[in-house]
Amino acid sequence: MQSQQQVIDQLRVRIEELQSGQDERRSQAEGTSNRLGEIASRLDDLETSRQDSLLQALPERVQALSQRFDELSNSVDVRFSAAQEKEQSLESSIEEVRKLRASQKTSTQQSQPSPQRQTRRQPEPPSPPFSVSGVELRGGRSYLAVASGAAGRLSDLRLVGEGQRIGQWHLSSIEGHSAAFIINGQTVVVPVP
């Protein structure tokens, strides 16, 4: 009986050791669970803080983009106004050149004695049905910027290269401040601003 009592005592000691180890593991598990809870809470705080900072920065970014858009819009408006002024100046210059040519022809005809037989006059070169706004260089090639009427917007302008046509008007060359067109077998030189 005494040997059985010893076995029982040993079992009790072993059970107490196991319970103590289990309590220790339970305590460690609770500590780990608490730490995991703290980490999860910190992650939630960081995510909330990150979202808040992004939301706070959003109006500033929208404001900056809006200002940039306004700046670009103003720049386009200024350039467009300058192009319109240049076109109006060019049209005035062309009109003055036409008037000057007409007055020179009139004075030349009046100063020359009338020949016995009438010579056949060349018809007046036709005026183009478009206006030339300038020359643009792209890829080493020159292009005329033309508009079918008064260019009120940039979208009214069209680029035409040598060899291309605008209706019956064939652009044969661009040189300096003039462009040569061929229409009905006749060459017409148009000034370029």
Side-chain angles (χ1 to χ4, degrees):
M1 207 144 165
Q2 201 174 18
S3 66
Q4 287 179 350
Q5 186 64 35
Q6 284 179 344
V7 169
I8 290 174
D9 287 342
Q10 286 176 354
L11 287 174
R12 280 188 185 152
V13 168
R14 182 68 182 141
I15 289 173
E16 287 175 5
E17 287 175 354
L18 287 173
Q19 283 179 341
S20 173
Q22 187 176 10
D23 290 342
E24 192 174 313
R25 280 191 292 281
R26 187 177 298 131
S27 174
Q28 287 176 351
E30 285 175 3
T32 302
S33 176
N34 289 341
R35 276 188 249 131
L36 286 175
E38 289 173 11
I39 290 171
S41 176
R42 283 185 184 174
L43 285 174
D44 288 343
D45 291 346
L46 285 173
E47 183 64 27
T48 302
S49 171
R50 182 174 162 263
Q51 288 176 353
D52 288 347
S53 67
L54 288 174
L55 287 175
Q56 288 173 355
L58 187 61
E60 293 172 8
R61 294 182 72 191
V62 168
Q63 177 83 19
L65 287 173
S66 176
Q67 287 175 347
R68 181 66 178 144
F69 176 78
D70 290 344
E71 289 170 5
L72 290 173
S73 178
N74 289 339
S75 173
V76 167
D77 290 344
V78 167
R79 289 181 182 177
F80 182 69
S81 295
Q84 279 184 319
E85 289 174 10
K86 191 173 185 179
E87 179 185 2
Q88 289 172 352
S89 170
L90 177 64
E91 286 176 359
S92 297
S93 298
I94 291 171
E95 191 60 36
E96 288 175 17
V97 167
R98 285 182 183 153
K99 288 178 182 177
L100 184 61
R101 282 184 182 171
S103 68
Q104 285 176 346
K105 283 185 181 183
T106 304
S107 65
T108 304
Q109 288 173 355
Q110 289 173 355
S111 65
Q112 291 179 350
S114 58
Q116 294 238 342
R117 58 179 199 181
Q118 291 185 350
T119 57
R120 190 171 169 200
R121 289 191 331 176
Q122 283 253 314
E124 187 74 24
S127 296
F130 51 84
S131 61
V132 178
S133 296
V135 175
E136 187 167 325
L137 189 64
R138 289 191 177 183
R141 289 190 61 199
S142 295
Y143 292 88
L144 279 184
V146 298
S148 58
R153 295 175 295 191
L154 288 176
S155 61
D156 294 336
L157 294 177
R158 175 179 160 198
L159 294 179
V160 181
E162 290 180 4
Q164 292 182 326
R165 291 183 176 272
I166 305 170
Q168 293 182 354
W169 291 73
H170 178 261
L171 177 59
S172 61
S173 67
I174 303 170
E175 295 179 14
H177 292 287
S178 65
F181 288 90
I182 298 175
I183 179 165
N184 299 330
Q186 188 175 7
T187 300
V188 178
V189 177
V190 177
V192 177

